[in-house]
Amino acid sequence: MILELDCGNSFIKWRVLDVNKVGASAEGVVGSDVALIETLEALPGLLLTRCRMVSVRAPEETNKLIAALEEAFGVTVCCAVSSREMAGVRNGYEDFERLGLDRWLAMLGGFKLAAGPCLVLDFGTAATADFIAADGEHLGGFICPGMPLMRNQLRTHTRKIRYDDAAAERALERLSPGRTTVEAVERGCTLMIRGFVLTQLELARAYWGDDFTVFLTGGDADLVWDAVPQARLVPDLVFVGLAMACPLS
């Protein structure tokens, strides 16, 4: 069994692959290293043989998790690293090591699935956009606050904005002007994210006309799904790239 990990700034997304089955045999999202180990240890019949991960955390945090995994399950952990070029994709950053690893892997996965020019839109703590041309050249991208950051900034700096996650979910059942604070905040932030998406689509059309593939990924991708009906929703796009960056044979 192979354990795959996507260690973001806020959460750890994980899945277990059984080499004898198609797709993940178990998967989930946790908020801490301890929760990850406890969740995995509770899985019946878990027998990990290999592990690969991508982490955008500080090196000390990443190394601490690697040590915990090795101690708990006796596996060697393969970590994705930055690269100037891989699988036909050329990193477009002036300093290629400064490009976030999660973005890099999502680009690798997107280019592989598209087999042509593509726009990769990722909605997590931050919202990101990356443009990859038909020849694999990364043309650059954009980063803006995602829903969690926008929501938390308003909650932190505006005294009267207080509501729980259940209220936030209910508020997004429609996008008409809000008649409560939670509706106004949640719907306003969602419309900002959608505006970001529409701008990226305009730029992509300026590059490639209508001949490109749009990928949506990340935990909040469903918030813009109906605004981009032609897009491919691939929640595990980073894992597609991770398998390319860390092949385990």
Side-chain angles (χ1 to χ4, degrees):
M1 294 180 172
I2 299 172
L3 173 64
E4 295 186 326
L5 300 172
D6 177 4
C7 304
N9 293 303
S10 303
F11 300 100
I12 301 173
K13 185 175 183 180
W14 64 270
R15 70 178 187 179
V16 175
L17 304 180
D18 188 328
V19 294
N20 298 316
K21 299 179 181 178
V22 176
S25 59
E27 59 188 337
V29 178
V30 294
S32 68
D33 296 4
V34 172
L36 174 66
I37 300 297
E38 291 178 347
T39 300
L40 293 173
E41 288 180 333
L43 291 177
L46 182 69
L47 184 60
L48 295 179
T49 57
R50 289 164 289 180
C51 176
R52 55 190 169 208
M53 77 155 64
V54 53
S55 175
V56 297
R57 298 170 159 194
E60 315 84 66
E61 294 179 275
T62 301
N63 291 335
K64 182 180 178 181
L65 176 56
I66 291 173
L69 290 166
E70 291 177 343
E71 180 179 354
F73 303 106
V75 292
T76 300
V77 180
C78 176
C79 286
V81 296
S82 300
S83 174
R84 171 60 70 188
E85 183 172 353
M86 181 177 290
V89 180
R90 292 182 298 283
N91 193 316
Y93 262 29
E94 294 178 2
D95 180 355
F96 73 90
E97 293 181 326
R98 298 289 293 174
L99 177 69
L101 275 171
D102 50 351
R103 287 173 63 195
W104 174 238
L105 295 185
M107 286 193 293
L108 294 182
F111 188 69
K112 176 184 179 181
L113 295 178
C118 59
L119 168 62
V120 177
L121 300 170
D122 192 340
F123 301 94
T125 303
T128 64
D130 285 289
F131 299 77
I132 304 94
D135 63 357
E137 184 70 28
H138 173 219
L139 304 179
F142 297 93
I143 304 172
C144 75
M147 283 292 289
L149 282 178
M150 286 193 286
R151 180 186 295 126
N152 290 339
Q153 282 298 303
L154 285 169
R155 283 176 170 175
T156 300
H157 297 290
T158 308
R159 233 178 247 182
K160 292 187 178 180
I161 295 181
R162 296 288 184 272
Y163 55 85
D164 58 25
D165 292 340
E169 187 174 342
R170 289 194 300 271
L172 291 175
E173 291 175 355
R174 61 183 63 87
L175 287 177
S176 56
R179 297 173 68 90
T180 64
T181 297
V182 60
E183 290 177 353
V185 170
E186 291 297 315
R187 295 174 189 179
C189 291
T190 298
L191 290 176
M192 290 189 71
I193 290 291
R194 289 184 175 215
F196 174 78
V197 169
L198 295 177
T199 300
Q200 308 314 307
L201 291 174
E202 289 178 7
L203 290 171
R205 292 190 188 102
Y207 280 130
W208 307 306
D210 292 323
D211 185 22
F212 65 96
T213 304
V214 183
F215 291 99
L216 302 179
T217 191
D220 285 325
D222 59 321
L223 294 179
V224 300
W225 170 240
D226 60 345
V228 199
Q230 74 272 32
R232 295 177 62 179
L233 181 62
V234 186
D236 294 329
L237 191 58
V238 168
F239 284 142
V240 175
L242 180 60
M244 299 163 68
C246 299
L248 300 174
S249 55

